[in-house]
């Protein structure tokens, strides 16, 4: 795909008849693709933030409890991973329609949070399982409150796991097709949907250039996350 994106021809052909960056330059005038990319970026950022906000406290509660209710809560948070995304997207569309809620960026974000939150929950829970309980006891013995311990001891130690889960959630949301297909409207079209429609209708070579940008963008983010959060270590 990267090689094809540098073609100087007018069709997606491999090997390319020649090489040029013309299609990358053409993205500067592709306002529909730019709008879709901006919508996807907004949805991914918001979905990641809400996923972290909801699941980190839940992971902390589950990690500290050995009760059956905690195990049920863990299964509940992980259940979207075993549910077919198309089935969830259609069900969410029916649910929003039943409530009379119009499709918008908000409905996309809600749907993405459901399917992205398990990634943050899993990596955070893994980080908490490696946390030394004696550190919490030391903090309590020194007079620190639970909130202070959570803010100054626990969060810094599990920040790598949260960042790793946030990265996976961000990429999963940005590249999501099944949920976005059902929950986005014409004014809030997502980039994967725009690329899919373009491939079906016109086979615009600019789609290859967009794919090239996304590949390089994803690779850069992976290298940054590996450098600062130890992504591969957190996934074990």
């Amino acid at each position: 795909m990267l090689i094809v994106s540098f073609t100087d021809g007018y069709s997606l052909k491999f090997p390319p008849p020649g090489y040029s960056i013309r299609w990358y330059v053409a993205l500067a005038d592709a306002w529909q693709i730019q709008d879709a990319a901006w919508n996807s970026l907004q949805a991914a950022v918001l979905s990641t933030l809400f996923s972290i906000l909801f699941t980190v406290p839940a992971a902390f509660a589950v990690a500290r409890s050995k009760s059956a209710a905690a195990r049920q809560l863990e299964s509940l948070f992980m259940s979207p991973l075993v549910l077919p995304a198309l089935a969830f997207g259609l069900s969410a569309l029916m649910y929003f329609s039943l409530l009379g809620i119009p499709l918008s960026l908000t409905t996309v974000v809600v749907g993405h949070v459901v399917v992205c939150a398990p990634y943050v929950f899993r990596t955070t829970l893994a980080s908490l399982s490696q946390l030394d309980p004696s550190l919490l006891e030391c903090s309590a013995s020194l007079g620190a409150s639970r909130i202070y311990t959570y803010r100054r001891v626990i969060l810094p130690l599990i920040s790598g796991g949260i960042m790793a889960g946030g990265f996976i959630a961000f990429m999963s949301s940005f590249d999501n097709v099944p949920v976005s297909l059902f929950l986005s409207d014409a004014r809030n079209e997502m980039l994967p949907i725009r690329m899919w429609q373009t491939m079906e209708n016109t086979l615009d070579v600019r789609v290859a250039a967009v794919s090239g940008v996304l590949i390089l963008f994803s690779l850069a983010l992976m290298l940054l996350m590996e450098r600062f959060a130890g992504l591969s270590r957190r996934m074990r």
Side-chain angles (χ1 to χ4, degrees):
M1 183 57 67
L2 280 174
I3 295 175
V4 172
S5 68
F6 288 100
T7 182
D8 65 352
Y10 289 88
S11 62
L12 296 173
K13 181 182 179 181
F14 186 86
Y19 296 92
S20 171
I21 61 171
R22 60 182 301 181
W23 299 112
Y24 285 91
V25 175
L27 292 179
D29 298 323
W31 61 269
Q32 289 182 322
I33 293 178
Q34 293 174 12
D35 288 346
W38 174 243
N39 291 334
S40 291
L41 182 61
Q42 291 183 85
V45 171
L46 291 174
S47 299
T48 302
L49 291 177
F50 282 116
S51 295
I52 292 175
L53 180 64
F54 294 148
T55 59
V56 170
F60 182 63
V62 169
R64 295 192 60 185
S65 176
K66 303 298 181 182
S67 65
R71 304 283 74 81
Q72 293 175 356
L73 182 62
E74 180 180 359
S75 300
L76 176 64
F77 270 96
M78 299 301 296
S79 61
L81 294 181
V82 299
L83 181 68
L86 281 173
F88 168 73
L90 178 59
S91 301
L93 174 62
M94 296 171 63
Y95 182 71
F96 286 130
S97 299
L98 185 64
L99 296 178
I101 299 176
L103 297 181
S104 63
L105 184 63
T106 301
T107 57
V108 174
V109 171
V110 171
H112 284 194
V113 168
V114 174
V115 297
C116 295
Y119 299 111
V120 184
F121 181 82
R122 183 67 186 88
T123 56
T124 303
L125 197 62
S127 295
L128 286 169
S129 66
Q130 301 172 8
L131 190 64
D132 188 353
S134 62
L135 296 176
L136 308 183
E137 297 174 0
C138 291
S139 178
S141 66
L142 293 173
S145 64
R146 290 187 177 182
I147 296 178
Y148 185 88
T149 300
Y150 183 80
R151 183 169 56 90
R152 298 300 298 272
V153 179
I154 298 176
L155 281 181
L157 292 175
I158 67 173
S159 59
I162 297 175
M163 290 175 61
F167 166 75
I168 300 172
F170 177 86
M171 297 306 300
S172 177
S173 173
F174 192 87
D175 198 39
N176 186 283
V177 172
V179 177
S180 300
L181 182 64
F182 287 104
L183 299 184
S184 61
D185 60 349
R187 292 178 297 178
N188 296 281
E189 189 176 40
M190 301 292 112
L191 181 59
I193 307 302
R194 163 54 55 181
M195 295 174 65
W196 182 17
Q197 292 176 346
T198 303
M199 289 292 294
E200 282 190 323
N201 299 327
T202 63
L203 283 177
D204 193 332
V205 185
R206 291 179 299 181
V207 173
V210 175
S211 300
V213 172
L214 293 179
I215 291 172
L216 295 176
F217 176 67
S218 301
L219 180 60
L221 285 181
M222 289 178 62
L223 293 176
L224 287 174
M225 290 303 302
E226 183 63 31
R227 172 66 178 82
F228 294 105
L231 180 62
S232 59
R233 185 176 69 255
R234 302 291 176 179
M235 290 298 294
R236 294 175 184 173

